[in-house]
Amino acid sequence: MTPSPAPALPILTEGQDPRYADVDLWPVSSVLDALVEAQMSAVATVRAAVPELERAVNAALPRLLAGGRLFYVGAGTSGRIGMQDGVELLPTFGWEPERLVLLLAGGNDAIYQAAEGAEDREDVARAEILAHDPGPNDVVVGIAASGSTPYTCAAIATARAAGSLTIGIACNPSCLLLNAADIGIAIVTGPEVISGSTRLKAGTAQKTTLNLISTTLMIRMGHAYRGQMVDMRVVNEKLRQRACRMVRNLTTSTHEQAIAALEATGFNVKRAVMLRWGIAADRIDPLLATHDGNLRTIQAELDATGNQKG
């Protein structure tokens, strides 16, 4: 006799919270209060997962320092949240576009509208991840509120088999995605105010988790110095003014001196700071290469050799 299959574990994000059964009858202020309370609980859930986030950052850091790429993989809301986090690394931290891979079930069309059935296509996920030839220095982050999305789980399993570091982020414990990844991060947010609408607190928890991981990675890789985004891409007047303020804050420079240094370096904040430290222009790139672009360690070398920073 064939044994019956084990019952599927409950998907907590699909549950119904009885407190909100009559939410459609509540006054607007009460609805808003309930939603705010849910958002706050989502962030508290992420804080409880900090040890797992630390493990993920520590595992990813050496791979990315060795030149690896950062992949984000997901479907629906989770996939769009991943895309947003990844795309924003480019202007904020100067992350190289060729080192960012964004995979969304259904492709770019799914950014604006639901791609029916795309999240169930394991074959497509495997083909799309393998098309980028993932390797041992690559870091692949899969995001799924339920933790059971076939597209995301298949992509993570394929990348792991190829030797990449895989990180799974889900809002349900003991789910397929967390088991498929090298490092599984459970941010258990429970039922939503509107049952199953994981764009709410589950979405907030996922975005917060990605923010923490990616920002910490960028800081540790030297893309931030003294709380300033020194690899920011300067592409408009607002950012030119911000770049000038950064150079002035990080050096003893007047507005005119900061602007001159920025103009001399193609409005590259990090290089402008080094120029104002008194480093000769022809030494800047070799120093950056030697120190993996980290101004903190360059500063330490200058201090150790008795050089004066401007």
Side-chain angles (χ1 to χ4, degrees), residues 131-200:
H132 293 279
D133 192 24
N137 285 331
D138 294 326
V139 178
V140 183
V141 182
I143 315 105
S146 68
S148 60
T149 306
Y151 178 92
T152 309
C153 294
I156 286 294
T158 302
R160 186 176 184 179
S164 301
L165 173 69
T166 53
I167 300 168
I169 299 169
C171 297
N172 283 289
S174 304
C175 59
L176 182 58
L177 178 61
L178 301 186
N179 291 329
D182 293 295
I183 298 174
I185 301 172
I187 42 173
V188 185
T189 50
E192 301 282 357
V193 173
I194 302 300
S195 180
S197 182
T198 51
R199 59 180 285 274
L200 299 175

Side-chain angles (χ1 to χ4, degrees), residues 136-308:
N137 285 331
D138 294 326
V139 178
V140 183
V141 182
I143 315 105
S146 68
S148 60
T149 306
Y151 178 92
T152 309
C153 294
I156 286 294
T158 302
R160 186 176 184 179
S164 301
L165 173 69
T166 53
I167 300 168
I169 299 169
C171 297
N172 283 289
S174 304
C175 59
L176 182 58
L177 178 61
L178 301 186
N179 291 329
D182 293 295
I183 298 174
I185 301 172
I187 42 173
V188 185
T189 50
E192 301 282 357
V193 173
I194 302 300
S195 180
S197 182
T198 51
R199 59 180 285 274
L200 299 175
K201 63 179 177 179
T204 296
Q206 291 172 90
K207 183 64 175 81
T208 303
T209 300
L210 291 174
N211 264 338
L212 296 182
I213 292 173
S214 62
T215 304
T216 304
L217 282 169
M218 295 299 110
I219 290 170
R220 300 299 290 179
M221 294 182 72
H223 295 295
Y225 170 69
R226 288 173 55 184
Q228 310 269 348
M229 41 187 170
V230 289
D231 278 325
M232 174 190 75
R233 293 186 178 175
V234 181
V235 295
N236 58 39
E237 182 58 31
K238 179 188 77 173
L239 296 180
R240 282 190 285 272
Q241 294 302 317
R242 182 185 295 169
C244 183
R245 288 194 299 273
M246 280 196 277
V247 174
R248 294 189 65 184
N249 287 339
L250 296 172
T251 65
T252 54
S253 303
T254 65
H255 176 83
E256 291 74 19
Q257 289 170 329
I259 288 293
L262 285 163
E263 289 177 343
T265 56
F267 269 82
N268 183 288
V269 174
K270 187 176 280 183
R271 288 174 172 79
V273 167
M274 294 175 69
L275 202 60
R276 288 299 304 150
W277 279 352
I279 300 173
D282 61 353
R283 288 189 60 219
I284 288 176
D285 284 345
L287 273 173
L288 286 171
T290 300
H291 292 270
D292 291 322
N294 194 311
L295 281 182
R296 184 71 68 175
T297 59
I298 292 171
Q299 177 191 46
E301 179 178 314
L302 295 177
D303 290 342
T305 56
N307 288 289
Q308 297 296 314

Side-chain angles (χ1 to χ4, degrees), residues 118-136:
E119 70 173 47
D120 296 329
R121 295 295 302 272
E122 295 181 352
D123 56 332
V124 172
R126 285 189 285 268
E128 289 183 346
I129 198 94
L130 289 174
H132 293 279
D133 192 24

